[in-house]
Amino acid sequence: MFKPADLFDLSQTEHAKIFDGCVYAWDALKKIESFLATNLKPALRNTCEGRAFIGEKVFIGEGTVVEDGVMIRGPAIIGRNCQIRHNAYIRENVIIGDDCVVGNSCELKNSLLFNNAQAPHFNYIGDSILGHKAHLGAGVKISNLKLTPGNVTVEKDGAPFDTGLRKFGALLGDGAEVGCNAVLNPGSIIGRGSLVYPNIFWRGILPANMIAKNRAAMEVITKRPREI
């Protein structure tokens, strides 16, 4: 499930060429900067609600609304009919498809969002790819840097495999859902249609159409009146 087509419908991005020659889907992360340098043609066709900072190397498509307090440093390409909500921070080397949501206090860098991807509330997305209709719950963080030295690895054929990336957050396949306040550790790969429950601390590979959830039992007790 490491090939781009294993995780993503490449027709759901106008920038599918970034995956040309990529043996592994994460290889596209190495190409975002050069892809933008070659293909970015700055233009602002959006509307602003309030005051936003938008850098010189930014393209924003028609119908996209940029709300008050947003900072888009660029280089960045943002598609049509997106919502870039209050206080979002879009840093360098970001590609956002059509009909996407980047919400309040979200931060993105060196990442690609396919069409209809959503990061609506308090999310960090670093060195990651979110597939078509992938969705992050409030407070989801995608960690992109190991605490220990060396490149990020993934498990392949039962052994660690070097991705060649010092910084690599996650790949979320089409339709993947990650619940509120979950943390995805560096090199996480979430298959198409899979679900990560809230508050999960996830590491590794979750195959397509699977659910990751806690086993902790919930205790329910009788409500007793309090003495005043």
Side-chain angles (χ1 to χ4, degrees):
M1 59 181 290
F2 297 153
K3 297 178 181 178
D6 293 338
L7 292 161
F8 310 120
D9 178 355
L10 298 182
S11 71
Q12 290 296 333
T13 176
E14 292 186 2
H15 312 289
K17 288 184 178 180
I18 199 169
F19 291 98
D20 288 353
C22 292
V23 177
Y24 305 107
W26 59 75
D27 290 334
L29 296 171
K30 307 171 187 177
K31 300 168 65 177
I32 292 176
E33 182 176 3
S34 61
F35 182 87
L36 285 167
T38 301
N39 295 280
L40 174 61
K41 298 178 180 179
L44 302 180
R45 300 172 182 169
N46 61 291
T47 58
C48 283
E49 295 181 353
R51 181 177 294 179
F53 173 86
I54 302 176
E56 295 181 357
K57 296 180 180 180
V58 176
F59 173 89
I60 307 179
E62 297 90 344
T64 290
V65 177
V66 177
E67 295 184 1
D68 190 62
V70 167
M71 181 173 184
I72 305 173
R73 179 187 293 176
I77 295 175
I78 300 173
R80 298 175 291 271
N81 302 315
C82 296
Q83 299 176 42
I84 311 299
R85 295 176 178 165
H86 179 61
N87 283 349
Y89 182 23
I90 298 174
R91 291 168 52 192
E92 63 279 1
N93 304 322
V94 173
I95 300 172
I96 297 173
D98 297 337
D99 301 293
C100 291
V101 176
V102 176
N104 176 39
S105 300
C106 291
E107 180 180 346
L108 286 73
K109 60 88 62 174
N110 198 61
S111 292
L112 167 64
L113 276 59
F114 277 67
N115 298 340
N116 298 100
Q118 296 193 350
H121 316 282
F122 305 102
N123 304 122
Y124 177 71
I125 303 169
D127 301 278
S128 298
I129 303 174
L130 274 60
H132 178 232
K133 293 188 175 181
H135 176 266
L136 303 182
V140 171
K141 304 297 186 293
I142 301 179
S143 176
N144 62 333
L145 181 64
K146 292 167 51 179
L147 294 175
T148 55
N151 292 337
V152 176
T153 62
V154 298
E155 185 175 321
K156 182 182 178 186
D157 300 324
F161 179 80
D162 189 346
T163 64
L165 292 164
R166 177 66 179 135
K167 291 186 177 182
F168 170 21
L171 307 176
L172 272 66
D174 296 338
E177 294 267 356
V178 182
C180 295
N181 293 320
V183 175
L184 304 183
N185 279 274
S188 292
I189 300 176
I190 310 299
R192 292 175 184 255
S194 286
L195 176 63
V196 176
Y197 267 30
N199 296 312
I200 289 283
F201 182 75
W202 178 261
R203 182 187 304 277
I205 301 167
L206 184 64
N209 301 310
M210 302 295 285
I211 298 175
K213 60 181 180 178
N214 286 320
R215 291 182 174 272
M218 180 180 294
E219 184 180 8
V220 179
I221 62 173
T222 301
K223 182 179 178 181
R224 303 181 184 277
R226 294 183 178 181
E227 294 183 1
I228 300 177

